[in-house]
């Protein structure tokens, strides 16, 4: 099995104007969430960006919250953070699959979304992946959003994204 250290990481993008990013986090496991948030914030700040943070009860609510923010605000991108740990039933599959699919659909609608929702079997697996000095999945999710924002700007999209029209868009 390939180790996490083996994969390639794109160079951090640069911006003339620091992007404004909303972090939406489900602190179902508080300490895990706090580590994911720390990693994401550090990555956004290193790129010269700004961040706000919103909490939702669980991973299933993250896509809905980002969808609401996408219609009601003008963030350049979004970072989804959470931790789903398998229990006794099949609910794990629902939470994992529906949260990730919801984020993918939002991306296909034109939002720049990085997915940092951990889907793991044990708390130990979550801890090493959330640790900013470990696998830093929160930082990785923020980096993904930053790269998508940079591509949007490179290809000429307005700050309001492409295709995700808000009711109050002045250029809609
Ligand atoms: N088991 C986990 C959940 N479950 C809760 C759901 O995400 C959702 O909030 C509930 O079904 C109400 O809609 N959420 C996590 O983030 N992590 C879990 O391990
Ligand atoms: C991922 C979940 O929803 C899970 O933690 C719920 O636990 P259970 O499957 O034992 O009800």
């Amino acid at each position: 099995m390939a180790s996490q250290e083996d994969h390639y990481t794109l160079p951090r993008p640069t911006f003339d104007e620091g992007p404004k990013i909303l972090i939406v986090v489900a602190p179902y496991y508080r300490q895990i969430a706090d580590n994911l948030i720390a990693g994401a914030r550090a990555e956004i700040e290193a790129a010269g960006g700004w961040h706000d943070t919103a909490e939702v009860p669980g991973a299933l609510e993250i896509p809905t919250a980002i969808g609401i923010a996408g219609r009601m605000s003008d963030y350049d991108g979004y970072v989804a953070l959470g931790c789903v740990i398998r229990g006794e039933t099949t609910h794990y599959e629902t939470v994992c699959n529906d949260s990730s699919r919801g984020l993918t659909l939002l991306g296909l609608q034109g939002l720049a979304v990085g997915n940092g929702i951990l889907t793991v079997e044990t708390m130990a697996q979550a801890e090493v992946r959330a640790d900013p000095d470990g696998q830093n999945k929160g930082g990785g999710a923020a980096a993904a959003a930053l790269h998508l924002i940079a591509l949007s700007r490179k290809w000429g999209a307005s700050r309001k994204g492409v295709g995700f029209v808000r009711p109050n868009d002045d250029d809609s």
Side-chain angles (χ1 to χ4, degrees), residues 142-164:
L146 289 164
H147 281 290
L148 291 172
I149 293 165
L151 283 175
S152 294
R153 292 186 180 182
K154 173 183 175 181
W155 292 331
S158 73
R159 275 175 48 87
K160 295 179 178 177
V162 176
F164 201 90

Side-chain angles (χ1 to χ4, degrees), residues 28-29 83-96:
Y28 202 85
Y29 299 100
C83 179
V84 187
I85 301 178
R86 188 184 297 277
E88 297 174 349
T89 72
T90 59
H91 195 231
Y92 172 83
E93 277 75 20
T94 296
V95 176
C96 294

Side-chain angles (χ1 to χ4, degrees), residues 57-115:
L60 279 181
E61 286 74 47
I62 295 175
T64 301
I66 291 176
I68 294 168
R71 289 188 296 276
M72 309 299 289
S73 63
D74 64 347
Y75 291 104
D76 297 290
Y78 303 86
V79 180
L81 300 177
C83 179
V84 187
I85 301 178
R86 188 184 297 277
E88 297 174 349
T89 72
T90 59
H91 195 231
Y92 172 83
E93 277 75 20
T94 296
V95 176
C96 294
N97 294 337
D98 286 8
S99 59
S100 62
R101 189 170 296 114
L103 296 178
T104 299
L105 291 174
L106 289 167
L108 294 173
Q109 290 175 347
L111 296 187
V113 182
N115 184 350

Side-chain angles (χ1 to χ4, degrees), residues 4-5 7 35 126-138:
Q4 287 297 319
E5 290 69 32
H7 79 283
N35 279 342
E127 288 167 347
V128 72
R129 285 156 178 79
D131 186 351
D133 297 321
Q135 293 188 20
N136 191 26
K137 294 297 187 183

